[in-house]
Amino acid sequence: MEELFAYAYLVDMDLISGEIYEDKLNELFLENPTDEDLLELEFLNRKRKDTVRYIRTHINYNDMDIDKFGKVLFELLKPMYMSLDIHRFGNAMYSLWESLPGNLQDIQPFEVLCYADDPLSWRDERQCREIYEAMLDYYSFINNN
């Protein structure tokens, strides 16, 4: 569910297309056709807000695989980082941080989403990019599975 949770967050914020989310949901459902949560999400799929609400209310935040969630989330964010203006990306990342569950907001690498664009306020785009790039590569260095 953690993998789909990352997709749902980004589609809910209009950072990825609904088709990307739907493809991932379909892939996971075909791998696990007896999973009741995935079956319910297949039924809710056309009502995107209901889908995100379902995931948020059915995932156990204290028992979730944070590394799996983070690895998927940051892999999805990499193409956005490369394609969006750094100011727009920074605003989107702060909004993402605000929407994360409280148990994630204050741990690495998620806490970086809160402050990584701060250097832009003194026009230091280079430092901002260094912070984002380290954040996006976080799981490449600590968890190569």
Side-chain angles (χ1 to χ4, degrees), residues 1 3-4 21-22 29 40 62 66 83 90 93 95-96 101 106 114-115 117-119 123 136:
M1 184 75 85
E3 188 174 6
L4 196 56
Y21 166 81
E22 290 169 17
F29 181 68
E40 182 66 26
N62 295 318
I66 293 170
S83 65
M93 294 307 96
S95 294
L96 176 61
D106 295 329
C114 176
Y115 64 79
D117 66 339
D118 286 355
R123 295 186 175 101
L136 292 169

Side-chain angles (χ1 to χ4, degrees), residues 4 7 10 17 55 67 75 85 91 102 107 114 116-117 137 144:
L4 196 56
Y7 281 79
L10 297 181
S17 72
I55 293 172
D67 288 339
E75 281 302 313
D85 167 78
N91 288 336
I107 62 172
C114 176
D117 66 339
D137 287 339
N144 217 3

Side-chain angles (χ1 to χ4, degrees), residues 3-4 21-43 45:
E3 188 174 6
L4 196 56
Y21 166 81
E22 290 169 17
D23 289 346
K24 180 50 71 175
L25 174 59
N26 292 335
E27 174 189 324
L28 292 173
F29 181 68
L30 289 173
E31 291 172 4
N32 305 292
T34 59
D35 185 302
E36 290 182 21
D37 287 326
L38 294 174
L39 179 62
E40 182 66 26
L41 289 169
E42 283 285 342
F43 285 124
N45 197 21

Side-chain angles (χ1 to χ4, degrees), residues 33-112:
T34 59
D35 185 302
E36 290 182 21
D37 287 326
L38 294 174
L39 179 62
E40 182 66 26
L41 289 169
E42 283 285 342
F43 285 124
L44 292 173
N45 197 21
R46 298 293 174 221
K47 300 175 185 171
R48 195 105 50 234
K49 293 292 181 187
D50 290 343
T51 299
V52 173
R53 188 176 306 114
Y54 181 89
I55 293 172
R56 286 183 186 213
T57 58
H58 285 80
I59 194 163
N60 182 344
Y61 294 110
N62 295 318
D63 194 32
M64 70 185 276
D65 185 338
I66 293 170
D67 288 339
K68 185 174 186 177
F69 171 77
K71 188 173 185 177
V72 171
L73 181 72
F74 291 121
E75 281 302 313
L76 290 168
L77 291 175
K78 284 179 182 180
M80 283 174 250
Y81 170 74
M82 298 304 291
S83 65
L84 288 177
D85 167 78
I86 192 70
H87 296 277
R88 286 188 58 215
F89 184 78
N91 288 336
M93 294 307 96
Y94 184 77
S95 294
L96 176 61
W97 176 81
E98 286 182 309
S99 72
L100 287 174
N103 67 320
L104 296 180
Q105 288 181 329
D106 295 329
I107 62 172
Q108 283 290 355
F110 306 101
E111 69 181 357
V112 175

